[in-house]
Amino acid sequence: MLSLDFIRKNSDLVRRAAELKGEPAPVDEILRLDKLWRGHQRNAETIKAEQNELSKQFAKTRDEALKERLRQMADTAKSELAVAEAVKRELDDLLLRVPNVFHGSVPIGETEAENVVVREWGSKPDLGFAPRTHFDLGEALGIMDFERAARVSGSRFAFLIGEGARLERALVQFMLDVHTLEHGYVEVWPPMLVNSASMVGTANLPKFADAAFRVEGRDLWLIPTAEVPVTNLHREEILDADRLPLKYVAYAPSWRTEAGAAGKDTRGFIRLHQFSKVELVKVTSAETSLDEFEQLTRDAEDVLQRLGLHYQVMAMCTGDMGFAQYKKYDLNAWAPGLDRFLEVSSCSTFNDFQAMRANIRYRPGRGTPPKFAHTINGSGLALPRTIDAIIETYQRSDGMIRVPDVLKPYMGGVELIGAR
RNA sequence: GGGGAGGUGGCUGAGUGGCCGAAAGCACCCGCCUGCUAAGCGGGUAGGGGGUGUAAAGCUCCCUCGAGGGUUCGAAUCCCUCCCUUCCCGCCA
């Protein structure tokens, strides 16, 4: 969230940022409630101060008339405070609904058409034959099964079977190894159900309740991404500055309702209610967050390069970047069979927007007051679409799939999927 | 699931109605002292918010001892509810 103080001092900036993001921002209502709250707060405090003073007197004098007066003061203070608190609750709720501002380098635009490709790696492979889609190949090879998944669970679920399941496990292992052994991230195995406070911390609540699955009768949500538990790992903490940046990598399934995605990507292993993801999360100081964000993006790209997948890095424009993000890149991998790019990673930096919600702070130096940390995350990478890109890029004209070199050590001797 | 114990500052931990936002120790910071190190001596160090400062500093007030409610002129301290931790028993991958 943005601090009340920041909104007071930069109301025009906040209004303008929200407009460019295409998000509503109740700035005027916030400023109105702020005045109201402070008025009542002040009244309550003034009475309280006097009451505290007189109460000390009473302890000595035991004067009955004073006692009666104190009783009345306590009542007045209490009711005044109750009003202040009610207004403050309303105010806090609105604050959670104000979108983040964005960095000066973010392209201004309304739709994805105005996103900007900042770099590309590799090129579209020429397979020498008409490439088939991953679902066509996957079903033919018996490594993907959507029909049975629909019977077992419903639409937007999938089975991976045999070498398909093995490929997924190999990718997870490979990615975790790259990030822990070579990029310096600490591996985390997080809870996959989280409470509402954590969902608020990462800004998945209150605005995006529809996007997540909730456990009936409990204050628990299936994580829409490992970002939620891992970013909240240090909620309500004050961290030592010399421990920063914290770098975590977590493998976890992600669950999403895909509300509002009706009709989109209904075919194939692309948009599912459950999918695996290896997630990168950093907690940094304010000074280093932009550099750390760029590096995290490079760390995710490294995985694509090692897999030999053609991809582009897309800077999201204001209208497409989202409520909480301060700056965001998507990594899109080329899928020859689908003849389009697939979003396999989304890397974002949030400034202190999430840290304020989750109350994650650090102390810049001895004896200095704590500051809110900056949080960053990105997929490194999301599994299904990476699998799609691999299958479609490494397919042979006979319908079998070569295993990328870097995955061979993880595939238990399988070098060609479908050969067995 | 049943029963016991407990949740206090960066950490350990004392505190059962006002003298307590809180003893003591550890850690850390500043200064003194010793030719260096260690030791020693003195001082400092919770968070949030309101008001006043252009801002920082400062000053001042309010709130916070797991969370919420209650009793009381006054609550870390008494009462109720909830959450969490831990131990014993039961169950279980």
Side-chain angles (χ1 to χ4, degrees):
Chain A
M1 61 197 263
L2 300 174
S3 75
L4 189 50
D5 191 50
F6 181 84
I7 296 173
R8 277 179 202 141
K9 290 172 181 158
N10 304 278
S11 55
D12 287 340
L13 172 68
V14 174
R15 261 190 285 257
R16 185 176 142 73
E19 194 178 316
L20 287 169
K21 278 191 164 187
E23 300 272 355
V27 174
D28 294 326
E29 184 65 358
I30 285 172
L31 295 177
R32 186 182 74 79
L33 290 175
D34 179 39
K35 273 206 192 98
L36 190 61
W37 165 61
R38 282 199 281 181
H40 288 288
Q41 184 70 20
R42 198 175 173 173
N43 291 347
E45 285 182 4
T46 309
I47 297 165
K48 254 313 200 171
E50 197 186 344
Q51 187 198 338
N52 288 343
E53 196 48 48
L54 291 178
S55 200
K56 277 180 205 159
Q57 249 182 56
F58 173 80
K60 284 178 225 150
T61 64
R62 301 278 159 179
D63 175 6
E64 280 302 312
L66 183 55
K67 181 169 174 174
E68 185 47 40
R69 193 177 152 205
L70 279 166
R71 196 173 280 151
Q72 283 168 11
M73 288 180 79
D75 283 349
T76 317
K78 193 180 267 186
S79 63
E80 197 61 20
L81 199 63
V83 176
E85 279 172 358
V87 175
K88 187 60 161 51
R89 266 194 299 277
E90 207 179 325
L91 185 54
D92 287 341
D93 182 65
L94 287 179
L95 283 174
L96 291 176
R97 295 167 188 278
V98 176
N100 200 1
V101 295
F102 52 84
H103 187 252
S105 64
V106 172
I108 305 293
E110 286 179 28
T111 69
E112 59 180 13
E114 285 136 296
N115 294 339
V116 174
V117 176
V118 293
R119 58 183 171 267
E120 254 183 321
W121 188 89
S123 56
K124 294 176 185 174
D126 177 16
L127 300 179
F129 55 91
R132 298 162 67 184
T133 61
H134 66 276
F135 50 86
D136 181 12
L137 291 160
E139 286 181 318
L141 290 166
I143 61 171
M144 284 182 177
D145 196 320
F146 302 102
E147 255 185 68
R148 291 190 174 96
R151 247 179 281 148
V152 172
S153 301
S155 66
R156 296 197 188 281
F157 285 95
F159 277 102
L160 291 174
I161 295 170
E163 287 163 345
R166 176 89 203 202
L167 177 61
E168 147 119 1
R169 181 156 58 92
L171 272 166
V172 170
Q173 290 278 74
F174 163 66
M175 290 180 195
L176 286 173
D177 281 352
V178 168
H179 293 308
T180 56
L181 301 176
E182 304 194 36
H183 299 154
Y185 291 78
V186 174
E187 186 169 348
V188 171
W189 185 78
M192 289 157 211
L193 294 169
V194 296
N195 59 29
S196 296
S198 294
M199 290 285 278
V200 170
T202 38
N204 296 87
L205 287 180
K207 265 207 83 171
F208 304 104
D210 282 359
F213 288 104
R214 181 178 354 203
V215 177
E216 199 176 330
R218 296 253 199 163
D219 181 31
L220 287 172
W221 302 75
L222 280 150
I223 56 171
T225 157
E227 165 196 348
V228 179
V230 179
T231 303
N232 279 286
L233 180 58
H234 294 290
R235 61 176 301 110
E236 310 290 341
E237 287 185 33
I238 300 173
L239 304 159
D240 289 335
D242 49 19
R243 284 180 64 195
L244 303 180
L246 298 171
K247 299 167 66 174
Y248 295 115
V249 57
Y251 159 68
S254 305
W255 284 278
R256 297 185 183 178
T257 60
E258 294 300 340
K264 260 190 217 169
D265 302 318
T266 46
R267 282 237 51 197
F269 197 48
I270 297 175
R271 188 179 293 278
L272 304 151
H273 288 310
Q274 173 197 325
F275 63 97
S276 290
K277 189 151 62 76
V278 170
E279 183 77 2
L280 304 173
V281 173
K282 286 185 180 181
V283 180
T284 75
S285 66
E287 292 71 27
T288 60
S289 68
L290 278 173
D291 288 342
E292 294 289 350
F293 167 59
E294 293 295 332
Q295 187 53 51
L296 179 140
T297 306
R298 298 284 182 174
D299 291 338
E301 285 178 61
D302 187 35
V303 173
L304 285 166
Q305 293 181 12
R306 289 174 193 235
L307 289 169
L309 297 174
H310 170 48
Y311 71 90
Q312 56 180 208
V313 180
M314 186 90 90
M316 309 306 281
C317 73
T318 53
D320 202 31
M321 71 187 295
F323 172 81
Q325 287 80 2
Y326 185 67
K327 184 171 182 177
K328 175 171 163 184
Y329 293 129
D330 274 1
L331 305 187
N332 301 322
W334 179 249
L338 293 169
D339 193 34
R340 65 174 168 114
F341 283 99
L342 292 175
E343 181 192 327
V344 292
S345 175
S346 184
C347 301
S348 306
T349 183
F350 296 85
N351 235 355
D352 57 5
F353 192 81
Q354 290 183 325
M356 282 192 65
R357 291 168 161 251
N359 199 20
I360 305 165
R361 293 172 293 174
Y362 68 101
R363 207 178 287 282
R366 300 281 168 202
T368 58
K371 281 175 78 170
F372 286 106
H374 283 198
T375 59
I376 301 163
N377 69 65
S379 345
L381 309 159
L383 268 287
R385 295 172 189 173
T386 303
I387 288 175
D388 301 341
I390 288 171
I391 289 177
E392 295 186 12
T393 300
Y394 286 87
Q395 64 179 298
R396 305 199 315 186
S397 58
D398 61 4
M400 291 197 267
I401 296 144
R402 291 183 293 122
V403 171
D405 286 343
V406 291
L407 292 183
K408 283 176 184 166
Y410 297 94
M411 284 296 287
V414 177
E415 300 206 350
L416 192 61
I417 293 174
R420 142 194 76 90

